[in-house]
Amino acid sequence: MMPPGWTPLRPGEPFAAQLLAASRAGQGLDCGGAPVAAGELRAAGLTGGRAADPFGLLVGRATITGSLDLQGCEVPAPLRFTGCSFTDPVDVRGARLGELVFDGDARASRPSVLPGLLAAGSRIARDLVLSGMVVTGELPAPRTENRTTASIWLTEADIGGSLVMAGTQILPASGRALRADRIRVGGNIRLLDGFRATGEVRLLAMRLTGTLDIAGAEFAPADGRAIDISESAIGGSLFLLSSPNTGRRCRVRGRIEMGHSTIQGELFIRDADLTAPAAGDGAHFYNVAPRAARTFLLAPRLTVHGALLIEGDTVVRGGLVLPGAQLEGGLKLEGALWNPGDTALDLEQAILGSGIEAPRVSIEGRVDLNNAKIEGPINLEGTVLAAPPERRCLTVVNARVAGDVRLRGLTALGGSLNFRGASIGGVFSAEDAFISNPGDKTIGLHMAHVAGTVRLCGRFRSVGVVVLNRMVVDGRLRADGATLAWRPAPAPLHPPGETNARGCALEAISAEIRGGIGLGWQILEGTVDLTGTTAPFLADRPEDWPAGSYIGGLAYERFEPVEARGAAVWDAGARIAWLDRMEPFDPRAWERLAAVLRAAGDRDGADTVLVAQRRRARRARALPGRIFDILQDVTVRYGFRPQRALYLLLALLAAVTVALSLPAVQEQMRATDQNALVFSPSGVRPGQDEGADGRCGDGKVRCLNPFFYAVDTVVPLIDLHQRATWYPDSERHGALLEWLLNLCTILGWVASTVFALSFTRLVRSS
């Protein structure tokens, strides 16, 4: 029993007449599997196509024998074939058709077969439908000089409606499945629900007004070329989805190319299995070699006015190569992106009108964002980066990021996160992240500018070296709670890592941290280098610094407390022990500490630091210089204790005064008046009777005063005429006394000079 809407074929009667009659009745002609000559069908279309009902010509369950040739013909009425098979290709090149439909019958025991379709240059006013068909054959190019083949040719065709292929299987042995260069489609292109192609689907330079909808389809080309829509313009969106009807996943095993194309809507991929061809396969001769050996999506200079969305449990096995792309809606990535040892995502020099959202994604391979312009945040929180080439998990060199860089909880294994020269408009947060790259850098912010805070805090862990050289941070550098360890690579690096012969776990050479530095860290292995870095404050615990670190030229103005670890450490002794562990010795670090303590009102602490600085420097001096250094230390503490020089002067005064008060010493003293008469302190002249003259020669010479004589001897620039009047007798033991008095004069000059210079320095420093 025939289904409603169908008229059975009556054997022996003219086929064309029956078809036209059924058309006028609004019914199709059911041939019941009978063979129908292609010539009769052509005649029906040409003789009655103009007079046919708008319902069109509908042929069901026929076997069309011979070649249906409508090349250059005009058939305004729709031509529809349901459950029909063809023995030869259908040729409608250059034809003007109202509609062309090939619709396989899912209930039939045998598939509906079409050996090929030649429709290059055709004009179809409404839809072109090839649903449920099995398309075979390899038709040569219309021009004999072109040796390419395809099962379906739609080059330069113009379709006013949509191109629909639902459940279609295009199975060429070696050539392309579909070639539709420069095709124009006024509606949508829909490859749906079981669509399968074993050759390339090429839509080069296509002009599509609507949407390219690929749902539940499968592409498995033998040569690795799956879809090529390069240089195309799509007025709607491009979808690669699982089928909403059957749940069938979209599967692509080959390369997709869309370089220099424009998509007005979104590029939306969800719940798809996408696999790149083997390295070296799937490339066209006219394409420059991509940066990824295994490339799934090659789209240089792609423009998407919406967003690039990869959602659900999509798995991409291969590289997404989009250098210079413009994604006005940004990038959202979910699922997994695996291309180990190769480039996983390439957005070099790309422009993203929004941010990159890729939290909790598994990425194997390298992510390149060099020189990109990102008008939003980069969110990689909880993402796992592994198996990169050249030990580089993420490169954002010289990029501009308008928002935050969010790396909280990120894991990077075997590679670095390189932000060299990047400009970041918000916070750089790697809180709770774990980055392991032994023998090389883990995070690189060399010459980067961060408008917010750099957060390497919480449970942040780094195995390698964190490089912050010449970085400018408008906010703070927070490393409280961080665990850092420098470890050499287990084997020689290929390529070699950056030189780190000193084994630093963190380098921040000549960095500028405008908001302050918080360092409540734990350094398990390695040292720290903050040479030449500037910050308004330093929040640290001296005992947390590893021995052998470098902080020469580190400039800070005050100490602050570490987060949740008590008060700031201002104690001079603790700070001296801190600096004493630093290598090599750099006087700038000690002078900075002394200046900070002095500015805080701790003058004694500042002086103690500077004394300790000179003691530390003494270790490297030769023995003669070290002895003189020790004398300075013992006497006046390198000039920071000038009162010790005064004590020496007083001691000398007391010693000379006491000595000259002794009778035995006074017996050695002599004075001579203007008449060459010699006197002793007692007034007795040698060789004369005692008492011949009174004491001091009855006023002929100045009397000897032991104290004033001591002042005259020890204190420079003071002349009390004692030393000029009285002198030791050279005939007895006076030579020794003269030598001792001269020594006291020298010591007095030295002590007085040291006292004067030290006092002057202290006055100036205050």
Side-chain angles (χ1 to χ4, degrees):
M1 182 175 180
M2 292 300 301
W6 289 94
T7 298
L9 178 67
R10 297 184 297 274
E13 296 186 12
F15 173 80
Q18 294 186 63
L19 181 58
L20 293 174
S23 175
R24 285 190 291 270
Q27 293 186 335
L29 183 61
D30 184 5
C31 299
V36 175
E40 294 186 57
L41 185 58
R42 181 178 186 276
L46 294 179
T47 59
R50 295 180 181 277
D53 189 272
F55 176 79
L57 304 177
L58 175 57
V59 180
R61 295 197 300 171
T63 300
I64 312 299
T65 60
S67 177
L68 177 58
D69 187 356
L70 294 174
Q71 185 176 180
C73 297
E74 183 175 353
V75 182
L79 293 177
R80 293 181 288 171
F81 302 91
T82 300
C84 296
S85 291
F86 295 79
T87 61
D88 294 279
V90 173
D91 190 350
V92 295
R93 286 177 288 175
R96 294 180 176 272
L97 308 176
E99 187 174 52
L100 183 60
V101 177
F102 300 89
D103 193 0
D105 189 353
R107 299 169 299 173
S109 58
R110 294 183 178 180
S112 300
V113 178
L114 177 63
L117 174 64
L118 291 167
S122 62
R123 302 292 183 266
I124 302 175
R126 294 170 62 186
D127 297 337
L128 171 59
V129 179
L130 294 101
S131 294
M133 302 293 293
V134 176
V135 183
T136 60
E138 297 185 28
L139 308 181
R143 297 180 179 85
T144 56
E145 66 272 10
N146 194 325
R147 298 181 180 179
T148 61
T149 62
S151 297
I152 299 175
W153 284 88
L154 290 172
T155 305
E156 297 181 347
D158 191 338
I159 301 173
S162 297
L163 172 60
V164 181
M165 299 184 189
T168 303
Q169 298 186 55
I170 309 177
L171 310 173
S174 59
R176 291 187 173 96
L178 169 64
R179 182 163 181 177
D181 298 0
R182 300 175 296 283
I183 187 174
R184 295 179 178 273
V185 180
N188 304 316
I189 296 179
R190 310 192 70 196
L191 311 179
L192 310 172
D193 295 330
F195 172 89
R196 184 169 183 265
T198 59
E200 179 186 14
V201 174
R202 173 166 156 160
L203 300 164
L204 186 69
M206 165 185 64
R207 296 296 178 264
L208 174 61
T209 303
T211 295
L212 176 54
D213 189 0
I214 302 174
E218 180 180 354
F219 298 83
D223 60 1
R225 303 171 183 172
I227 303 172
D228 187 356
I229 56 173
S230 300
E231 302 178 20
S232 296
I234 300 176
S237 298
L238 192 158
F239 296 105
L240 281 171
L241 311 171
S242 60
S243 172
N245 300 322
T246 64
R248 185 195 302 264
R249 295 173 67 88
C250 182
R251 303 180 188 276
V252 181
R253 293 190 295 274
R255 177 183 293 183
I256 296 179
E257 297 189 7
M258 55 180 72
H260 301 274
S261 292
T262 300
I263 301 173
Q264 296 295 330
E266 296 178 338
L267 174 52
F268 188 17
I269 303 173
R270 184 175 62 197
D271 298 336
D273 293 329
L274 311 174
T275 304
D281 291 346
H284 291 98
F285 71 91
Y286 49 79
N287 280 333
V288 178
R291 294 179 174 89
R294 292 188 68 240
T295 300
F296 170 73
L297 174 61
L298 179 60
R301 302 293 178 183
L302 170 69
T303 299
V304 181
H305 291 284
L308 171 54
L309 307 172
I310 302 178
E311 296 184 354
D313 61 346
T314 297
V315 178
V316 182
R317 296 177 176 86
L320 304 179
V321 182
L322 297 92
Q326 182 174 347
L327 310 177
E328 295 185 3
L331 169 65
K332 182 178 180 181
L333 180 62
E334 296 179 358
L337 178 56
W338 297 334
N339 199 19
D342 205 345
T343 297
L345 175 62
D346 184 353
L347 283 170
E348 288 195 8
Q349 298 183 337
I351 300 175
L352 283 76
S354 185
I356 296 177
E357 292 288 334
R360 297 175 295 281
V361 177
S362 173
I363 300 178
E364 294 185 3
R366 181 176 60 223
V367 177
D368 287 337
L369 302 175
N370 298 338
N371 299 295
K373 179 181 178 182
I374 303 170
E375 298 295 339
I378 297 177
N379 183 4
L380 299 176
E381 293 185 349
T383 292
V384 177
L385 305 174
E390 302 176 349
R391 302 175 69 87
R392 301 291 184 267
C393 286
L394 174 64
T395 61
V396 197
V397 176
N398 294 327
R400 194 184 82 180
V401 183
D404 299 337
V405 174
R406 304 169 188 164
L407 308 178
R408 184 186 182 108
L410 174 139
T411 299
L413 304 175
S416 65
L417 312 180
N418 190 4
F419 290 81
R420 181 187 180 100
S423 175
I424 300 171
V427 172
F428 183 94
S429 176
E431 188 172 356
D432 300 334
F434 172 57
I435 306 167
S436 177
N437 192 22
D440 205 347
K441 65 171 171 273
T442 53
I443 288 182
L445 284 165
H446 186 191
M447 299 178 67
H449 177 243
V450 182
T453 296
V454 175
R455 297 174 58 88
L456 308 178
C457 51
R459 294 186 301 276
F460 174 80
R461 292 173 294 162
S462 168
V463 180
V465 54
V466 177
V467 179
L468 311 177
N469 299 336
R470 299 178 66 185
M471 172 184 68
V472 177
V473 181
D474 293 338
R476 295 187 178 186
L477 170 61
R478 288 192 55 189
D480 42 292
T483 301
L484 309 179
W486 161 258
R487 292 174 186 167
L493 300 183
H494 298 284
E498 295 185 3
T499 302
N500 188 12
R502 298 177 296 181
C504 288
L506 183 142
E507 287 185 359
I509 300 172
S510 299
E512 183 180 354
I513 317 297
R514 296 171 179 169
I517 301 176
L519 302 177
W521 53 23
Q522 182 181 11
I523 311 295
L524 300 181
E525 297 180 42
T527 59
V528 175
D529 190 347
L530 270 68
T531 303
T533 292
T534 60
F537 69 80
L538 183 63
D540 70 331
R541 305 292 295 181
E543 63 272 16
D544 292 341
W545 289 76
S549 294
Y550 308 79
I551 58 173
L554 172 63
Y556 51 94
E557 298 174 3
R558 65 186 186 277
F559 296 111
E560 293 285 345
V562 178
E563 294 284 337
R565 291 186 62 182
V569 179
W570 288 88
D571 180 66
R575 289 296 173 181
I576 289 171
W578 165 55
L579 292 181
D580 199 41
R581 297 197 308 273
M582 304 297 108
E583 292 288 350
F585 168 73
D586 192 320
R588 295 176 296 172
W590 299 79
E591 291 166 1
R592 170 57 57 176
L593 174 59
V596 170
L597 293 177
R598 183 172 290 108
D602 187 2
R603 294 173 180 266
D604 290 339
D607 291 344
T608 302
V609 169
L610 293 176
V611 170
Q613 172 198 9
R614 285 154 177 79
R615 289 174 177 171
R616 177 68 176 80
R618 188 169 67 205
R619 302 176 192 172
R621 302 188 67 177
L623 183 60
R626 189 180 302 177
I627 294 174
F628 180 72
D629 202 276
I630 292 174
L631 290 176
Q632 293 185 74
D633 187 5
V634 172
T635 56
V636 290
R637 289 289 188 264
Y638 302 99
F640 294 100
R641 297 293 183 268
Q643 63 271 24
R644 291 196 172 193
L646 186 60
Y647 297 157
L648 178 59
L649 283 173
L650 295 176
L652 289 172
L653 287 172
V656 174
T657 300
V658 171
L660 291 176
S661 299
L662 298 176
V665 175
Q666 289 193 1
E667 290 179 0
Q668 304 295 324
M669 304 303 294
R670 297 289 183 268
T672 304
D673 67 359
Q674 58 185 359
N675 296 319
L677 296 176
V678 179
F679 300 90
S680 68
S682 61
V684 179
R685 294 182 297 172
Q688 297 181 3
D689 295 335
E690 183 177 354
D693 287 322
R695 182 176 175 80
C696 305
D698 295 328
K700 294 181 179 180
V701 294
R702 190 181 300 272
C703 293
L704 176 66
N705 186 306
F707 175 73
F708 290 140
Y709 193 96
V711 172
D712 217 357
T713 300
V714 173
V715 181
L717 303 180
I718 296 180
D719 187 6
L720 300 179
H721 303 289
Q722 287 286 317
R723 187 75 184 271
T725 302
W726 295 95
Y727 56 89
D729 185 2
S730 59
E731 295 181 357
R732 303 177 66 182
H733 300 287
L736 176 61
L737 180 59
E738 180 73 20
W739 189 88
L740 292 174
L741 290 174
N742 289 335
L743 178 61
C744 290
T745 300
I746 294 173
L747 292 177
W749 269 96
V750 171
S752 299
T753 303
V754 170
F755 175 78
L757 292 177
S758 301
F759 184 77
T760 302
R761 187 194 63 80
L762 290 177
V763 170
R764 289 179 178 178
S765 63
S766 62

